[in-house]
Amino acid sequence: MKSKRLSRRSFLSNTARATGGVVTLGVLSRTGVLDAQEDVPYEHAWQNLDASQGRTVDALTRMIMPSDENGPGAAEARVVVYIDRALGAHRSDYRESYTAGLDAFDRYCRATLESDFVDLDTRGKRRALMGIDRPRSPRAWPQDAPMGARDFLRMVVTHTMEGMFCDPAHGGNYRETGWKLIRFPGRAPFGYDPPFSEFDMTIPEIEYPEWKPYGGPMKSRIIGEE
């Protein structure tokens, strides 16, 4: 159990700097996850997504950050609530990307798996995500989509991680589920450093020592002097 929990934490710490295979080389590649995602979707009064979009985003986040024997995931943290609220606030510039991306994604799923994403079983959902997690968009990805398949996936992965570990005031990290998972001690009185987001709290100004120009042995290389 200890090694599995460490493996899970390693995935969490590496997600932000992943450059490829963000899903297929992450939690979904582990055994024991596939049967863990058949829970009833969390009901939410949608603010910026419509009901169909919300259900799809909820299903996506559950696959990206699943609940399993090693700990809770996006469902328990109510990540979809965070994303829905964020699209009307600090992530409002992504709202059109979600509308277009979700439409393209469902068209891709219908073309390749003959069903919208939310209606697929867990194995089908996994196949759909693995199909778009590649350097080039697959042939079945709609040509008129304003964003590539992996760009869409990375957008949702990024916002899933935000929803897992943000301040609970933003709607995600319900009951500090994400913080407890990684043993983060909680809200700091002076604010947060990334990855707990630049929008969480304002960090008060700090008085720094007086600036003095560098005069050491590498001075010429630093400021271009001969």
Side-chain angles (χ1 to χ4, degrees):
M1 180 62 72
K2 183 177 181 180
S3 62
K4 290 182 178 180
R5 292 186 68 85
L6 289 174
S7 177
R8 185 182 180 88
R9 290 197 183 99
S10 296
F11 165 73
L12 297 177
S13 65
N14 289 332
T15 297
R17 60 175 180 269
T19 57
V22 287
V23 171
T24 56
L25 297 182
V27 289
L28 294 181
S29 64
R30 299 199 321 266
T31 58
V33 172
L34 292 180
D35 297 326
Q37 302 304 304
E38 302 295 348
D39 299 330
V40 177
Y42 170 69
E43 294 299 327
H44 171 62
W46 307 107
Q47 298 179 9
N48 297 289
L49 298 167
D50 63 32
S52 177
Q53 293 169 339
R55 287 192 296 270
T56 302
V57 172
D58 187 26
L60 278 164
T61 63
R62 289 170 185 245
M63 292 299 294
I64 292 167
M65 189 64 198
S67 314
D68 63 14
E69 70 277 8
N70 295 316
E76 290 83 1
R78 299 187 181 179
V79 168
V80 69
V81 177
Y82 163 80
I83 293 177
D84 182 46
R85 290 184 183 179
L87 292 178
H90 55 275
R91 294 290 181 254
S92 60
D93 51 332
Y94 286 94
R95 191 168 179 175
E96 292 184 4
S97 296
Y98 268 88
T99 298
L102 290 168
D103 175 68
F105 183 50
D106 265 338
R107 284 193 282 160
Y108 166 79
C109 290
R110 290 194 293 269
T112 57
L113 298 166
E114 301 181 345
S115 175
D116 288 343
F117 183 73
V118 293
D119 296 324
L120 295 169
D121 61 18
T122 304
R123 293 180 184 276
K125 289 173 181 173
R126 184 182 188 227
R127 287 180 59 192
L129 291 180
M130 290 176 69
I132 64 173
D133 186 25
R134 56 183 65 185
R136 293 185 180 181
S137 296
R139 292 183 179 180
W141 186 259
Q143 296 297 310
D144 60 346
M147 64 192 313
R150 177 171 277 187
D151 291 334
F152 167 73
L153 177 59
R154 286 184 172 180
M155 176 183 72
V156 181
V157 168
T158 297
H159 295 159
T160 297
M161 293 301 106
E162 289 181 358
M164 276 297 301
F165 306 112
C166 68
D167 189 305
H170 297 289
N173 191 17
Y174 181 66
R175 293 182 176 176
E176 301 183 358
T177 296
W179 286 354
K180 292 173 183 176
L181 181 65
I182 60 174
R183 299 180 183 177
F184 180 67
R187 178 178 294 164
F190 50 82
Y192 302 103
D193 290 329
F196 297 102
S197 299
E198 71 280 2
F199 53 82
D200 275 332
M201 296 180 72
T202 301
I203 300 176
E205 294 184 5
I206 300 174
E207 292 186 5
Y208 293 96
E210 180 183 357
W211 181 84
K212 295 181 179 180
Y214 178 75
M218 300 295 288
K219 177 180 178 180
S220 62
R221 294 190 182 184
I222 293 174
I223 62 175
E225 294 183 357
E226 295 297 334

